[in-house]
């Protein structure tokens, strides 16, 4: 964050969190019902979020749907709590588009728009993703297809601050790859997303630029 516009200085922070989530899929009309439970979230010593706050997310539940095409959608908190809503967006990269029978060379494009709201906090993220099955590989001793994903995103919304409401807007780009078993089972992957945002409000004469780099790595544990 470059706080010069608000009379401050440049600030940089880097931290890592580790989460365990349980994903359950059940046959339903037109696809599968998805249930996600947050088992735990832990941060390293640099994480600015207090451990007690991360602990409060434990047990948070979400529900969604995976269409026959393999597209996940509608992931919403089952519990109307601020903690669950705040991590809702993070879960979007934990379960990507998967489907059985993928072949090298298959490609498709998807557009999504999601609004996360908690009280006066309302932020909408729009994303356009390009997918392509690029290689046959082995993942966790299973035959799998490697899928690459490249996406473009836009962010717009408001968040409350101690100094008054703040307007947030900006764009981002990202890329990654993940693995899908021949039966359509998700086998994990990695992504990186960089966003260039600006925050404006009565607390600063000019918009404050913020750059966010988010790296996500997912490993799967079968039950």
């Amino acid at each position: 964050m470059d706080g010069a516009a608000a009379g401050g200085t440049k600030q940089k922070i880097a931290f890592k969190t580790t989460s365990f989530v349980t994903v359950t899929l059940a046959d339903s009309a037109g696809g599968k019902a998805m249930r996600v439970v947050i088992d735990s979230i832990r941060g390293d010593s640099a994480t600015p979020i207090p451990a007690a706050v991360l602990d409060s997310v434990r047990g948070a539940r979400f529900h969604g749907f995976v269409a026959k095409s393999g597209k996940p959608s509608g992931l919403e908190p089952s519990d109307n709590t601020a903690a669950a809503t705040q991590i809702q967006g993070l879960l979007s990269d934990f379960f990507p588009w998967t489907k059985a029978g993928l072949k090298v060379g298959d490609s498709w494009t998807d557009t999504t728009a999601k609004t996360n709201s908690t009280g006066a906090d309302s932020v909408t993220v729009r994303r356009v993703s390009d997918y392509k099955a690029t290689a046959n590989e082995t993942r966790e001793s299973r035959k799998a297809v490697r899928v690459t994903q490249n996406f473009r995103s836009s962010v717009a919304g408001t968040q409350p601050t101690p100094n008054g409401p703040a307007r947030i807007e900006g764009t981002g780009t990202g890329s990654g790859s993940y693995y899908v078993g021949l039966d359509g089972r998700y086998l994990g992957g990695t992504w990186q997303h960089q966003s260039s945002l600006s925050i404006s409000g009565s607390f600063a004469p000019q918009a404050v630029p913020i750059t966010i780099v988010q790296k996500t790595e997912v490993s799967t544990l079968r039950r």
Side-chain angles (χ1 to χ4, degrees):
M1 179 176 68
D2 187 350
T9 60
K10 289 185 178 181
Q11 300 178 36
K12 181 178 180 179
I13 185 171
F15 61 94
K16 176 182 179 180
T17 60
T18 301
S19 309
F20 285 87
V21 303
T22 297
V23 179
T24 304
L25 299 175
D27 289 337
S28 182
K32 293 181 180 295
M34 179 166 60
R35 181 174 181 265
V36 179
V37 179
I38 306 300
D39 297 319
S40 66
I41 298 181
R42 292 287 183 270
D44 62 12
S45 59
T47 303
I49 306 171
V53 174
L54 295 178
D55 286 342
S56 70
V57 183
R58 182 185 302 166
R61 297 172 297 167
F62 301 81
H63 62 272
F65 187 77
V66 180
K68 285 186 176 180
S69 64
K71 179 181 178 178
S73 61
L75 192 63
E76 301 286 347
S78 300
D79 309 306
N80 189 21
T81 63
T85 303
Q86 288 171 358
I87 65 170
Q88 182 178 353
L90 179 64
L91 292 175
S92 62
D93 285 334
F94 272 76
F95 197 96
W97 191 316
T98 64
K99 52 185 174 182
L102 277 174
K103 303 183 299 298
V104 173
D106 288 350
S107 62
W108 66 97
T109 298
D110 183 43
T111 301
T112 60
K114 183 64 180 177
T115 299
N116 294 332
S117 299
T118 305
D121 183 350
S122 179
V123 178
T124 299
V125 179
R126 291 180 170 83
R127 178 184 287 190
V128 179
S129 298
D130 298 315
Y131 299 86
K132 186 172 183 178
T134 59
N136 293 313
E137 299 188 17
T138 299
R139 178 82 168 181
E140 299 177 0
S141 301
R142 297 168 61 93
K143 292 182 178 180
V145 176
R146 182 176 185 264
V147 180
T148 60
Q149 179 186 5
N150 294 283
F151 53 89
R152 310 165 299 281
S153 61
S154 63
V155 179
T158 58
Q159 286 187 333
T161 75
N163 298 315
R167 172 72 180 175
I168 300 175
E169 54 189 355
T171 59
T173 58
S175 62
S177 62
Y178 59 97
Y179 300 87
V180 182
L182 301 184
D183 58 356
R185 184 183 294 273
Y186 175 43
L187 301 174
T190 58
W191 291 265
Q192 179 165 311
H193 185 196
Q194 178 166 317
S195 299
S196 298
L197 308 178
S198 65
I199 296 181
S200 57
S202 59
F203 49 81
Q206 298 179 15
V208 177
I210 296 178
T211 299
I212 299 175
V213 177
Q214 179 178 317
K215 298 179 180 180
T216 303
E217 180 175 353
V218 178
S219 298
T220 59
L221 302 173
R222 291 188 62 185
R223 287 188 174 180

